[in-house]
Amino acid sequence: MPEKLMNRNLKALEKRFPGICEIMDEKKEELLQKESMHITEETAFTEEQILVAEKDGRRLYLAGRRNPKAHAENQISVLGKIVPNAPVFVMGMGNIHYLEKLIEESDDSVIILIYEPLFSVFYKQLKRIDFEEIFGKRTVSLVVEGINEEGLESVVGTMLQGDKVPLMKYFILPNYVELCREQVNRFLDIMIEKSKRYYVDLGTKMFFSPYQAENFYHNIKHLPTGYKAFQLFRTIPADVPAFVVAAGPSLNKNIKELKRAKNKSFIIAVDTAVKPLLQEGIKPDMFATLDGIKPLELVEMEQAKKIPLLTLVTAADAIMDYHTGKKFFFDEGYEYVRKLFEMNGKTLEGFPVGGSVATLAFSLACYLGFRTIIFVGQDLAYTNNRSHADGTFHAQMLEEDTEDFMKVPGNYEEEVPTLTNLNDYRKWFEEYIEWWKEGHEVTFINATEGGAKIEGTELMTLAEVIDQECGKEVDISSCIDGMEPVFNEKEQEKIWDYLYDTPKQVHEIVSLAREGKKLYHQLDKLCKKGNMDKRAYLKILKRVKRNRKKIEDNPNYQLLSESMTKAEQIIRSGQYLRRETIEEEGIELARQGKKYMELLEEYARIMEEYTRKIFDFQDKGSAGSDGARLRSSLGQTE
């Protein structure tokens, strides 16, 4: 029977992964000998056969001896909802219940990667489990150390493209760290590296997370009369060049030249470059702002008020209120915002952000289809030992001590001093340019005249670029002035009804958190009893799962959870610690659950009070103090 099952599995694997059987035939003996690991079976308390790895005189169980299913059920339950299209990474096949539970808890759109670093375990499982029965019609990638591990990095990168990173889940099965620590570290390093581009995108967002909820609810009032960034597509002619103007110190050298590009190009500036440009009599066609706590002084000029603005709902509320012109939004991934569009039969498109306001402006220029995109003031370094151009934070920026700064290749100097975050943005630009060029005919020119080198760009002076590229007249302002908001009046009213209902929605989270706390208390009490009733245990777990699903389905939960760094630490703490009994596992689950629900109730209650003030439009001073209270609760003060 084991041989018959193995042959069936090999045929199924060959169908999914052509050529794998031949490689296994060639390498099987070599890999088994190299690992020198004996994989045996033992009977668990549940009468189920589990795998045991024997190596160097040690016996390590690859599944729980008391209840092999419990480890998988508890871990997947604690890590929360597996949403459609999520990428899920499973390291190890020693306990197949992880994969079974994963498939049970997710739909067919979920993409799964199984990485088995131990060929001995994989070879043993070929004779024990029916791969086709477990995989079904799902998209499953299989990487086995020694067979096709060279493809691991590529597969992980493909699975984590775009906005997939926040959806991902991963599981490292019990005792794999002990058995193959080097492969575990490599696996985690690859996921971190492939996720880095996304986390660079969200770097600022995560740094300012305590402000996000406050800014979001304060700024959401701008959305009903706002615009989508993608409405600009084909509204603005793409046969002129686009200038992405940052506020690096080299902007001092060539800012005056930009006057000649006005009305012959699309000029999008970062928020810090707005004042220097306006002071030179150059009004950009659009400016971008991203950060949650940028000071209003950066754009506090009457001429800036009506310049079209590319922004986020979570941007600094002072800038959002000061600005009275057209505001252009894109999908930040918030379910709450998506709901506002869906209820009106519309969608909100998104695109890579890049983590800085300059990368955001650049990404928009790419997606609008410009065939020539030019960097100005994009130093990404401390040119002449200064951080920004004059007129940004101070009339004249002072020199700083950059002796201990990291050094990177410069555009006009062999090396220039920079910071880690600026270098990350430089790398982001390089990767993005390489990726974008694969599918588009576009020229990227760096007319910064200083700063760090960005691979993939042509180096030119700004004067040369303008002489070469700016030959056609264009009236960008007229193009944008003629645009209509994304929602009509009837749709706006519908959105406002939903906004006014927000405090009630948030209160539902408060109630559910209280209910969840009671359930975890019941679980703790049950597990501390002698001769625990397993049926009662499973019943409580089902109720916990239903409670968690209701919380996660609330569109306001996502905003709150992103700020709950303490709660995330609770979820992660003890996640992979082995518990010898189901009672011990239940007690640990209850400990984590109670703390999580206590924090969730506290945060949600403060947010409920804040949203009541915001959406009642009463006592605005109190709304501000509640915002400070919310930030203080989330671990950050003014």
Side-chain angles (χ1 to χ4, degrees), residues 31-216:
L31 292 171
L32 291 173
Q33 186 176 357
K34 181 182 177 182
E35 286 182 0
S36 63
M37 188 180 299
H38 190 42
I39 306 296
T40 59
E41 294 186 42
E42 188 172 304
T43 305
F45 289 11
T46 57
E47 303 299 319
E48 187 176 353
Q49 294 298 301
I50 59 174
L51 296 185
V52 183
E54 299 180 4
K55 185 175 182 179
D56 301 331
R58 301 176 69 195
R59 283 171 54 84
L60 295 169
Y61 291 90
L62 303 185
R65 297 169 63 192
R66 290 187 172 272
N67 187 347
K69 290 184 178 181
H71 289 276
E73 289 177 353
N74 286 348
Q75 261 192 44
I76 291 177
S77 171
V78 167
L79 285 179
K81 181 180 179 182
I82 301 170
V83 301
N85 300 303
V88 183
F89 303 92
V90 182
M91 185 172 193
M93 299 177 68
N95 182 350
I96 207 64
H97 294 304
Y98 278 81
L99 186 57
E100 291 174 339
K101 188 65 178 174
L102 169 62
I103 289 172
E104 179 188 324
E105 292 293 322
S106 60
D107 65 28
D108 289 348
S109 68
V110 168
I111 303 169
I112 301 169
L113 167 65
I114 303 169
Y115 169 44
E116 178 50 75
L118 301 172
F119 179 80
S120 306
V121 172
F122 172 71
Y123 194 70
K124 183 74 173 179
Q125 293 291 37
L126 283 173
K127 304 176 183 179
R128 298 180 71 247
I129 59 176
D130 190 328
F131 283 26
E132 276 297 273
E133 184 179 318
I134 293 174
F135 293 170
K137 296 180 180 179
R138 285 174 175 264
T139 302
V140 178
S141 295
L142 178 66
V143 175
V144 181
E145 190 72 19
I147 302 298
N148 61 344
E149 78 281 1
E150 69 280 354
L152 178 61
E153 189 170 346
S154 174
V155 174
V156 173
T158 301
M159 290 174 66
L160 293 180
Q161 282 184 350
D163 58 354
K164 290 293 192 291
V165 174
L167 309 181
M168 71 179 282
K169 303 287 183 185
Y170 71 91
F171 310 100
I172 299 173
L173 271 61
N175 272 326
Y176 272 74
V177 174
E178 296 294 325
L179 288 165
C180 46
R181 187 180 301 275
E182 183 180 334
Q183 288 93 332
V184 170
N185 288 338
R186 176 175 174 252
F187 175 62
L188 294 174
D189 286 344
I190 288 173
M191 286 200 296
I192 290 168
E193 181 59 33
K194 296 302 178 183
S195 302
K196 191 173 181 180
R197 178 167 169 173
Y198 175 82
Y199 285 120
V200 168
D201 284 1
L202 290 186
T204 306
K205 183 176 177 181
M206 295 303 293
F207 183 78
F208 296 121
S209 61
Y211 285 83
Q212 280 182 227
E214 179 188 355
N215 285 344
F216 181 95

Side-chain angles (χ1 to χ4, degrees), residues 236-434:
I236 298 176
D239 58 350
V240 295
F243 288 87
V244 180
V245 185
S250 294
L251 187 62
N252 292 340
K253 296 180 182 179
N254 56 16
I255 190 170
K256 294 181 186 296
E257 287 287 343
L258 277 169
K259 282 185 180 180
R260 297 197 295 121
K262 183 65 179 173
N263 296 324
K264 294 182 179 180
S265 65
F266 173 66
I267 301 176
I268 180 168
V270 305
D271 44 18
T272 45
V274 169
K275 269 191 174 180
L277 287 170
L278 291 176
Q279 286 166 355
E280 289 292 338
I282 305 162
K283 186 176 180 181
D285 299 302
M286 174 174 275
F287 79 95
T289 192
L290 174 86
D291 300 345
I293 54 174
K294 274 266 175 89
L296 174 60
E297 289 77 11
L298 287 174
V299 298
E300 200 172 15
M301 291 181 72
E302 190 65 30
Q303 306 100 298
K305 282 188 173 182
K306 290 191 178 294
I307 298 174
L309 173 62
L310 174 65
T311 188
L312 289 74
V313 183
T314 50
D317 55 10
I319 291 177
M320 293 287 276
D321 285 348
Y322 181 77
H323 178 261
T324 58
K326 288 181 169 65
K327 294 178 175 66
F328 291 83
F329 298 95
F330 57 93
D331 186 11
E332 300 174 56
Y334 287 112
E335 288 300 321
Y336 186 105
V337 173
R338 288 174 181 168
K339 182 82 174 173
L340 302 182
F341 279 81
E342 287 170 4
M343 69 171 61
N344 288 298
K346 299 178 187 292
T347 56
L348 179 62
E349 300 82 4
F351 52 89
V353 177
S356 79
V357 67
T359 55
L360 167 62
F362 169 75
S363 187
L364 177 69
C366 289
Y367 273 86
L368 293 185
F370 289 101
R371 293 188 287 275
T372 303
I373 299 176
I374 303 146
F375 289 116
V376 181
Q378 193 58 254
D379 288 65
L380 298 168
Y382 276 58
T383 305
N384 298 324
N385 297 323
R386 290 176 170 84
S387 64
H388 290 80
D390 294 340
T392 52
F393 293 92
H394 305 289
Q396 186 171 357
M397 298 297 292
L398 300 176
E399 285 193 34
E400 297 186 36
D401 182 2
T402 61
E403 185 178 344
D404 296 329
F405 283 26
M406 69 184 298
K407 304 296 190 297
V408 296
N411 284 320
Y412 295 94
E413 301 172 72
E414 186 175 339
E415 287 185 331
V416 288
T418 190
L419 300 175
T420 302
N421 65 319
L422 296 178
N423 194 44
D424 283 341
Y425 298 143
R426 182 181 67 85
K427 291 178 181 177
W428 185 94
F429 278 124
E430 292 178 343
E431 290 176 11
Y432 196 101
I433 287 169
E434 181 181 7

